[in-house]
Amino acid sequence: MNKTERLTQLFGKRITQGEFAPGSALPSEADLCAHFGVSRNIIREVVKVLSTKKLIDAQRYRGLFVMPAECWNYLDADVLEWTLEKGNNPALIRSLIEVRSLIEPTISRWAAERATAVDLVEIEASYNEMAANPTRPDLFHEADIRFHRAVLIATHNVVMKQLSDAVSALQRAIFDFTFERDATHMGLTINEHRELFDAIRRKNPQAAESAACRMIERTAQRALSATHQVDGNADGCTPFSRIDA
């Protein structure tokens, strides 16, 4: 990791973890250069990256200001990781699962309608890797992400394909809150993915959509448990409508 990347991560974490209040001013460019012993070019690159992530607002002639949390780019993998690193954020986890419950059943339905033989090979290969690594969380999770990415690609929707990185970022962000290592959980997870793959392979859109809903529902239940919240069930794919922050 070079100096620019280290400083980007440092300030990104400080902002997302509350060290700098929304709307507050950051040190000046000159002060940052002096404090960290780096050039203006490095500081300007850090500012550029954090501005892209919607964490800071660089106002000409005024300085650098922390953006409100509701403006942050939560589809950015770094922003999600930094925000959740220090512990539970029930409201954000709720939002992530709500987004998944909105788009993944539709993605699954479209994949069942449109998947080609090549798509099926990619989905099955990812599923097989998941099934082969139930005791290796790192390998299992990466295969899981590839599985869902392959399903998304199988929609053959050019706009949806552009969301593949964002969907992967959502999965990565909630993994630590929903992953359980016990054999019962792993067996259920593998079976859920097998059911979804089978529905897509059989070109059964309704079954694919239902399989995706069941998968998301169980993910939501595990998220509730991980954040130590109690809430009632809601209609639709996700079994809750609110988690109090």
Side-chain angles (χ1 to χ4, degrees), residues 77-196:
D78 288 335
V79 174
L80 286 173
E81 179 183 345
W82 297 337
T83 304
L84 295 174
E85 184 179 79
K86 286 295 185 179
N88 292 343
N89 187 325
L92 177 56
I93 295 170
R94 174 206 62 203
S95 294
L96 295 175
I97 295 176
E98 286 179 343
V99 170
R100 288 191 64 183
S101 73
L102 177 67
I103 64 174
E104 290 197 25
T106 299
I107 288 172
S108 300
R109 169 177 284 274
W110 288 351
E113 294 171 343
R114 306 170 186 176
T116 66
V118 173
D119 294 326
L120 293 175
V121 168
E122 292 297 324
I123 298 170
E124 185 173 26
S126 300
Y127 164 78
N128 287 339
E129 188 168 353
M130 290 178 64
N133 291 285
T135 61
R136 293 286 305 276
D138 52 342
L139 297 180
F140 183 90
H141 187 43
E142 290 305 315
D144 190 2
I145 289 174
R146 287 195 297 275
F147 177 94
H148 288 281
R149 183 186 292 267
V151 171
L152 187 150
I153 296 300
T155 67
H156 295 277
N157 180 300
V158 293
V159 177
M160 191 66 76
K161 287 181 180 180
Q162 294 180 7
L163 296 177
S164 61
D165 288 343
V167 172
S168 295
L170 297 180
Q171 288 184 278
R172 291 183 191 279
I174 64 174
F175 180 69
D176 288 340
F177 296 91
T178 60
F179 184 76
E180 299 174 6
R181 295 172 181 267
D182 65 275
T184 299
H185 164 72
M186 294 304 295
L188 287 171
T189 300
I190 291 170
N191 285 339
E192 287 171 344
H193 287 74
R194 180 70 196 186
E195 288 174 1
L196 178 54

